[in-house]
């Protein structure tokens, strides 16, 4: 085997030191001596959830409902989202596996390839549609918002977003430990100034109302990050225990996401900016444009490097290759090209698509590991995986169909009847349907031998 000294530089860049294992274990359980504590896991997950789209959603709901009712809808929605993601994070910490490796248990060796395509492919798209969200304001700030300069910035920011993901969990952790405190301080500062400009809390609670029902508001709250939350196991698997993983997920997706949503609602209620609630535009209206740009850069960066990491580990599972870097670089290149051709215009329909098709996959994983495996997960080396585990496939298909039918819009731009109306929206409907169907099919068919499952060695070690 070649040593690092005689390995070409390009190969070391793409693959890393091939004499050493990938420090992020993209195809294996994270060993006990590589596990992290609550602060580390929470920081990475908080960096992931601090995304501008959540601010806009908060502004939209606050303006339509009024500030008081919005707080109630926010509490209910983020309780649902927080518990869902925290449960996935607890499962991942127990198994020490990424979302796509958990999917291998739930869908089979070849069935998991669909999860790779779904989770990895959608994150490549996410990477592409979000780079312009920081490149365009940067160009505007410097007064050089020409197509050429904007394209150059898309390239620069795309490379920087890839850089921390390229260095794996450690790179994202270091960025998040800097970015998260800064974003919290800036968000609090902006809210304090906004409350003052509104004339106190009375000004906030006095406007809006009547433009949005409670169920629709909860739908938006849950939908802000339920698809992204399904990817949270990619980082929660490093948690030192299931309890640490669970609480880190809850802190990020209940407290962190709720804080960002509230920031958007406050900014949107006080300032007339487009898009409503945008932290950069709000801070610019407060005379703090430079601080706003820094906050926006950190906001997008800490979300987009997580997206790059997600398609990296999905590629590793898809090709069963124990290095994530080649897939980070390849997926990032595609994402940058998408950004250059104007994919940012597809952000809203992209979020809608993710909200319909990704959560049922998380529902299958939760049902499988909690109610079927009962968290007594055998190591991958002790399992002869079925090619396709039809129990999970059937459950996912039903969940996805339920999500589409309850979305109220099957074809973008074309209204469709809500055939199966749901209380908290398509994402939650699809998730719940997938859980119910998976458990039913498992106990009625798979456990009775009607449908095939995996072969587990009799002396298998349980995690």
């Amino acid at each position: 085997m070649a040593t690092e000294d005689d390995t070409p530089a390009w190969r070391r860049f793409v693959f890393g030191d091939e004499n050493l294992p990938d420090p992020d274990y993209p195809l294996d359980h994270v060993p006990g001596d590589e596990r992290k504590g609550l602060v580390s896991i929470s920081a990475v997950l908080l960096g992931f959830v601090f995304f501008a789209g959540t601010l806009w959603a908060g502004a939209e709901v606050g303006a339509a409902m009024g500030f008081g009712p919005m707080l109630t809808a926010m509490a209910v929605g983020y309780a649902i989202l927080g518990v869902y993601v925290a449960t996935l994070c607890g499962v991942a910490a127990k198994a020490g596996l990424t979302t796509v490796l958990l999917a291998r248990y739930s869908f089979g060796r070849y069935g998991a390839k669909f999860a790779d395509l779904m989770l990895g492919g959608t994150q490549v798209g996410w990477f592409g549609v979000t780079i312009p969200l920081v490149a365009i304001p940067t160009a505007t700030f410097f007064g050089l918002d020409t197509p050429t300069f904007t394209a150059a910035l898309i390239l620069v920011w795309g490379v920087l977003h890839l850089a921390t993901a390229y260095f794996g969990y450690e790179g994202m952790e270091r960025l998040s430990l800097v970015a998260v405190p800064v974003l919290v301080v800036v968000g609090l500062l902006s809210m304090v100034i906004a409350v003052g400009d509104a004339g106190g809390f009375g000004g906030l609670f006095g406007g809006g109302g009547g433009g949005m029902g409670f169920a629709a508001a909860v739908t938006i709250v849950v939908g802000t990050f339920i698809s992204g939350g399904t990817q949270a196991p990619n980082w929660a698997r490093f948690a030192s225990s299931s309890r640490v993983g669970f609480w880190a997920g809850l802190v990020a997706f209940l407290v962190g996401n709720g804080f960002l949503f509230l920031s958007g609602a406050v900014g949107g209620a006080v300032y007339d900016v487009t898009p409503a609630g945008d932290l950069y535009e709000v801070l610019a209206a407060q005379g703090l444009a430079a601080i706003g740009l820094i906050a926006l850069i950190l906001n997008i960066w800490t979300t987009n490097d997580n997206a790059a990491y997600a398609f990296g580990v999905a590629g590793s599972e898809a090709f069963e290759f124990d290095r994530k870097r080649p897939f980070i670089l390849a997926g990032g290149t595609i994402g940058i090209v998408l950004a250059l051709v104007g994919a940012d215009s597809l952000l809203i329909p992209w979020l809608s698509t993710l909200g319909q098709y990704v959560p049922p996959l998380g529902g299958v994983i939760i049902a499988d590991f909690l109610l079927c495996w009962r968290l007594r997960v055998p190591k991958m080396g002790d399992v002869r995986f079925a090619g396709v585990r039809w129990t999970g496939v059937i459950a996912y298909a039903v969940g996805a169909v339920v999500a589409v039918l309850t979305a109220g819009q099957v074809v973008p731009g074309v209204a469709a009847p809500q055939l199966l109306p749901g209380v908290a929206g398509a994402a939650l409907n699809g998730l719940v349907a997938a859980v119910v169907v998976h458990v039913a099919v498992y106990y009625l068919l798979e456990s009775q031998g009607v449908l095939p499952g995996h072969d587990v060695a009799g002396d298998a070690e349980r995690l």
Side-chain angles (χ1 to χ4, degrees):
M1 179 179 292
T3 63
E4 183 176 353
D5 290 337
D6 57 20
T7 301
W10 70 266
R11 190 173 181 89
R12 290 201 304 272
F13 174 74
V14 173
F15 296 100
D17 187 347
E18 295 177 80
N19 297 304
L20 299 173
D22 189 311
D24 288 84
Y25 305 94
L27 286 184
D28 203 355
H29 306 271
V30 177
D33 59 359
E34 296 290 338
R35 300 301 185 102
K36 312 286 185 179
L38 181 62
V39 172
S40 173
I41 303 297
S42 297
V44 173
L45 290 179
L46 282 168
F48 182 37
V49 304
F50 277 15
F51 174 61
T54 304
L55 292 162
W56 306 340
E60 177 185 347
V61 175
M65 293 189 78
F67 206 79
M70 181 275 296
L71 292 177
T72 304
M74 187 183 80
V76 173
Y78 281 119
I80 294 169
L81 180 63
V83 170
Y84 164 68
V85 177
T87 303
L88 273 177
C89 289
V91 167
K94 175 72 172 178
L97 297 173
T98 62
T99 305
V100 290
L101 289 178
L102 294 175
R104 187 182 292 185
Y105 284 81
S106 299
F107 298 97
R109 179 173 294 276
Y110 301 116
K113 306 309 178 189
F114 171 75
D116 299 331
L117 180 62
M118 172 67 65
L119 297 177
T122 54
Q123 291 305 296
V124 171
W126 178 274
F127 191 84
V129 301
T130 51
I131 297 173
L133 298 183
V134 65
I136 293 172
T138 304
T140 302
F141 178 83
F142 288 105
L144 297 170
D145 50 344
T146 64
T148 301
F149 188 66
T150 301
L153 285 173
I154 286 174
L155 182 60
V156 169
W157 285 123
V159 170
L160 287 174
H161 295 169
L162 286 176
T164 43
Y166 174 85
F167 290 107
Y169 182 95
E170 297 292 340
M172 293 185 297
E173 178 188 34
R174 292 181 182 181
L175 175 64
S176 295
L177 287 172
V178 173
V180 169
V182 171
L183 290 170
V184 170
V185 170
V186 171
L188 289 172
L189 173 65
S190 177
M191 282 194 287
V192 169
I193 294 174
V195 170
D197 289 347
F201 288 103
L204 284 178
F205 285 87
M212 181 179 294
F214 182 80
V218 173
T219 297
I220 291 174
V221 173
V222 173
T224 54
F225 235 85
I226 193 168
S227 57
T230 307
Q231 305 268 12
N234 293 336
W235 306 281
R237 66 194 170 109
F238 286 94
S240 57
S241 68
S242 292
R243 182 173 297 178
V244 169
F246 181 89
W247 283 107
L250 198 64
V251 166
F253 284 82
L254 174 60
V255 180
N257 231 340
F259 170 77
L260 205 62
F261 192 89
L262 182 62
S263 299
V266 172
V270 179
Y271 305 103
D272 183 18
V273 299
T274 302
D278 183 277
L279 183 59
Y280 169 70
E281 296 293 344
V282 167
L283 284 164
Q286 294 172 332
L288 302 171
I291 293 176
L293 182 62
I294 293 171
L296 179 67
I297 289 169
L298 294 175
N299 182 299
I300 301 297
W301 193 343
T302 54
T303 298
N304 238 15
D305 66 350
N306 281 263
Y309 186 92
F311 57 68
V313 296
S316 292
E317 203 290 327
F319 292 92
E320 300 189 18
F321 185 73
D322 64 351
R323 305 273 155 173
K324 67 184 180 304
R325 283 183 177 178
F327 305 105
I328 289 175
L329 296 173
T333 300
I334 295 171
I336 290 171
V337 171
L338 289 174
L340 289 171
V341 299
D344 56 301
S345 62
L346 300 175
L347 178 61
I348 299 305
W350 193 251
L351 288 173
S352 176
T353 299
L354 294 179
Q356 291 176 40
Y357 292 103
V358 174
L361 193 149
V364 169
I365 291 173
I366 288 175
D368 196 34
F369 280 80
L370 286 186
L371 303 175
C372 300
W373 291 104
R374 300 181 184 179
L375 286 180
R376 298 184 67 251
V377 187
K379 282 193 170 183
M380 289 196 298
D382 293 325
V383 182
R384 188 170 70 184
F385 290 97
V388 176
R389 188 174 173 212
W390 290 105
T391 302
V393 172
I394 292 169
Y396 174 80
V398 172
V401 169
V402 169
V404 169
L405 292 179
T406 57
Q409 191 176 79
V410 179
V411 179
V414 179
Q418 290 187 323
L419 302 178
L420 300 172
V423 174
L428 185 59
N429 292 333
L431 189 160
V432 172
V435 169
V436 172
V437 172
H438 186 84
V439 174
V441 173
Y442 175 79
Y443 284 105
L444 293 176
L445 299 177
E446 185 178 315
S447 65
Q448 303 302 314
V450 178
L451 289 178
H454 308 309
D455 290 330
V456 180
D459 59 348
E461 179 183 353
R462 303 282 174 163
L463 297 171

